[in-house]
Amino acid sequence: MDLDLRKLRYFVAVAEHRHFGRAAQELFLAQPVLSRQIRAFEQELGSQLFTRTTRSVELTPAGRQLYEEARRITTVVDAALRRVQEVERGEQRLVVAFSPGLHVSDAIRTFTASHPKVEIDVFPLRWWEQDAPLRDGRAHVGYLRRPFDDAGLHTVPIGHETKVACLPVTHPLAGRRTLTSADLDGEPILDVRTRRTSSLEEKFELIASGQGIALVPVRVAGSYSRPDLVYLPVTDALPVETCLAVPESSTAGPVRDFLAIATAVLRRSAGDAEKKKEAATRYAPSSFKITNSPLPMGDRELR
C-alpha cells in the first residue's frame, strides 16, 4: 500500500494533542472530517491506532509505534521539501546543531565574516538527542558530545570535557568535597535509558525533587546553577570527547568550509577552557573542585 502523508500528518496531530477537537483546530479541519480521515487511515493500515472514550483519546501499542515512525517520516519529508525550495530560490543555508552547554557562536561569527551570503540557523539539541538531526536532514553540522553512533558520519575531534555529579542539596552525599564511581553505586541515575525527559530543565527539576541523580558536563552545570542542586567532581570519571560531525555524503560547499573554520575556532576555545579549568582546580570552592583520572564511569552518562 502507498502511505498517505496527509493522513499521516492528521494522525500525528491527534497523537500529540490526544484530543480530536484540538487537533482539528490545529489542522483547520472540522472535527467530524478529521475523525473520518483517521478511521479511514486505520482501515487502510488494518490497525487500530487510538482507544477512544467519551473523555480521552489514547494511543494503542500499534499507534505508539506508528507515532515514533511518523515523526521521523514527516521530519525527513519536511527537510527534503525545504532543501528543494532553497535550491529553487538560489539560497544557501546552513543549519548548525549543538548539544546543551556547547557554544558555536564564535565559529558562526568567523564563518559569516567570510561567507556573508550563507544563511545560518542554529538547532539546539535536546539532551538525549545527538546524531538524529544530521541523519534526517534537520541539520548539516553538529557540535556533539560522545558517545553517539558515528556510522555514516565524518567526525572531527575538538576537545574533552569533565563531567560532574548533580545531586539535590538534601542528598546524603551533597556535603562531600568529591565523589568516586563507587560512591554512586546503587544510586538511581536519570539518563536516556532509565527516564527520557523533554528538557534539561525537567531533568534538573526531577533531581531537585529527589527522583535521582545525573552526571552532567561541567559546562552544562555552569549554565544551570540552582540553590537546590549541588555539582560534585567524580574523581575517576573519564572526560567525554566533544567533536564536530557531518554526514559523509555532505562534506562539500558551505559545509566543508564551515567544518574547517569551526574546527580551528572551537579547538582554540577548548584549549582556552582547559587552561581555565586547570587554574580553577587550584582555586575552586570545595563543593565544585574539578579533577580527572583515567578510570571510566561506564554508561552512567548524560549526553
Side-chain angles (χ1 to χ4, degrees), residues 128-141:
W128 49 267
E129 192 174 34
Q130 290 277 71
D131 54 300
L134 298 175
R135 301 185 185 281
D136 61 31
R138 285 177 290 165
H140 301 96
V141 183

Side-chain angles (χ1 to χ4, degrees), residues 3 20 24 26 39 65 74 104 183 201 272:
L3 184 64
F20 277 86
E26 177 186 299
R39 290 195 181 278
Q65 180 63 41
T74 55
V104 293
D183 294 324
E201 288 81 3
D272 292 343

Side-chain angles (χ1 to χ4, degrees), residues 100-297:
L102 298 181
H103 302 295
V104 293
S105 55
D106 288 345
I108 291 174
R109 189 162 44 246
T110 304
F111 174 81
T112 301
S114 58
H115 297 73
K117 294 185 178 180
V118 178
E119 181 181 347
I120 298 287
D121 286 337
V122 293
F123 188 104
L125 295 168
R126 288 167 289 189
W127 72 265
W128 49 267
E129 192 174 34
Q130 290 277 71
D131 54 300
L134 298 175
R135 301 185 185 281
D136 61 31
R138 285 177 290 165
H140 301 96
V141 183
Y143 186 22
L144 313 176
R145 294 184 182 91
R146 291 190 182 277
F148 60 89
D149 179 12
D150 59 7
L153 299 177
H154 173 67
T155 60
V156 179
I158 296 299
H160 292 84
E161 191 175 12
T162 301
K163 287 196 171 187
V164 294
C166 176
L167 304 92
V169 293
T170 55
H171 195 283
L173 297 174
R176 296 274 295 274
R177 290 172 58 90
T178 61
L179 301 173
T180 67
S181 58
D183 294 324
L184 302 179
D185 284 345
E187 292 288 341
I189 305 293
L190 298 181
D191 60 17
V192 69
R193 290 172 296 279
T194 60
R195 186 166 186 174
R196 175 174 291 188
T197 53
S198 60
S199 66
L200 280 171
E201 288 81 3
E202 181 184 350
K203 176 175 284 293
F204 287 133
E205 197 67 22
L206 289 171
I207 295 171
S209 63
Q211 303 302 303
I213 69 171
L215 295 178
V216 301
V218 67
R219 275 183 279 189
V220 171
S223 300
Y224 288 88
S225 176
R226 293 176 46 149
D228 51 0
L229 296 176
V230 295
Y231 300 98
L232 298 177
V234 181
T235 57
D236 56 357
L238 183 66
V240 63
E241 182 184 60
T242 60
C243 63
L244 289 167
V246 300
E248 290 179 344
S249 59
S250 303
T251 56
V255 172
R256 177 195 58 210
D257 296 343
F258 181 85
L259 195 61
I261 290 171
T263 297
V265 171
L266 295 176
R267 280 180 174 172
R268 183 168 59 249
S269 298
D272 292 343
E274 186 65 24
K275 291 177 182 178
K276 290 179 181 178
K277 186 192 76 174
E278 291 174 356
T281 299
R282 294 192 294 271
Y283 304 110
S286 60
S287 63
F288 199 63
K289 185 177 179 181
I290 306 301
T291 58
N292 291 317
S293 180
L295 293 179
M297 283 294 298

